[in-house]
Amino acid sequence: MPTGVAMRDARELLFDAAERVLLREGPEGLTSRAVTTEAGCAKGLLHKHFTDFDGFLAELVLDRIRRLYAQGDVLLAAAGQGSVVENLTDLLTDLFGSVAVAIVSLTISRDGLRARLRKDVPNGVPILSEAGQVIRDYLAAEQTYGRIPAGTGTDVLGLTLIGSTHLLFADRTGVRPAVDQVRAFVRSVVPA
């Protein structure tokens, strides 16, 4: 791409390219050159918008966390409506059917990235920790509607749902679990 050409939404262009590379090649294939090549732009574009590659990756993860919180708002608004199992199945399938599993692998494999994320995500694994909070908030809301029995440990249930569903999807090269498999798991652990 010629230099000097204005590029709208350069950050999103680079983030989307990074996700495609991450899904296709895994964390080991994610380099600044791979991202800019995938985006079809000059390598300097990434460094124009970000201090360095770990800074870019940290912003990518934080952007995806913001998107997760937006999904959480939608889930919370669904409390008291539809089926608890279906609402959770939809969120979990969408979350882990996306780039989330690859982002977890990425954050685990890059010390510099984890260090940068610690100020914004002080505990746990980025994406998984926030997803767990989104689900715990939803379960607590459903408890107020009486759709989750009083006395149910929503914190433990939320962490169980996140951890176990992550394990179902963890092999990025294998066959993805079908929605029916996720639904069956959710139904098996969510009290009626």
Side-chain angles (χ1 to χ4, degrees):
M1 175 170 289
T3 59
V5 174
M7 183 172 278
R8 291 185 335 201
D9 303 322
R11 292 170 59 93
E12 273 310 307
L13 174 78
L14 293 167
F15 288 165
D16 292 344
E19 284 189 353
R20 290 190 303 273
V21 172
L22 189 56
L23 288 170
R24 186 177 60 242
E25 299 176 30
E28 61 281 352
L30 191 62
T31 63
S32 60
R33 181 162 313 281
V35 170
T36 54
T37 299
E38 181 74 22
C41 65
K43 187 174 181 186
L45 183 67
L46 190 143
H47 296 289
K48 177 181 177 185
H49 291 276
F50 304 94
T51 55
D52 59 20
F53 194 56
D54 279 336
F56 165 74
L57 294 175
E59 287 299 318
L60 169 67
V61 173
L62 294 172
D63 183 72
R64 293 338 188 219
I65 288 171
R66 285 187 287 277
R67 288 182 182 192
L68 172 64
Y69 283 140
Q71 287 178 291
D73 290 343
V74 171
L75 181 66
L76 207 50
Q81 303 170 42
S83 157
V84 173
V85 168
E86 288 304 316
N87 291 342
L88 289 167
T89 298
D90 290 346
L91 176 77
L92 290 165
T93 303
D94 184 52
L95 174 67
F96 289 112
S98 70
V99 74
V101 173
I103 286 178
V104 169
S105 297
L106 177 67
T107 58
I108 290 170
S109 69
R110 293 186 68 103
D111 294 338
L113 174 57
R114 274 195 322 281
R116 289 196 186 204
L117 289 169
R118 280 295 159 228
K119 71 179 181 106
D120 294 298
V121 185
N123 299 307
V125 178
I127 296 285
L128 294 182
S129 296
E130 292 77 16
Q133 188 59 56
V134 162
I135 289 178
R136 291 191 308 269
D137 291 347
Y138 169 72
L139 292 169
E142 289 292 12
Q143 213 167 31
T144 66
Y145 286 104
R147 292 164 31 112
I148 297 289
T152 299
T154 55
D155 286 345
V156 172
L157 181 56
L159 293 173
T160 299
L161 287 164
I162 285 297
S164 297
T165 307
H166 178 248
L167 289 175
L168 288 173
F169 282 88
D171 181 7
R172 71 176 184 85
T173 60
V175 176
R176 294 289 208 208
V179 174
D180 290 343
Q181 290 173 285
V182 176
R183 182 181 300 111
F185 167 69
V186 171
R187 189 176 291 124
S188 74
V189 297
V190 172

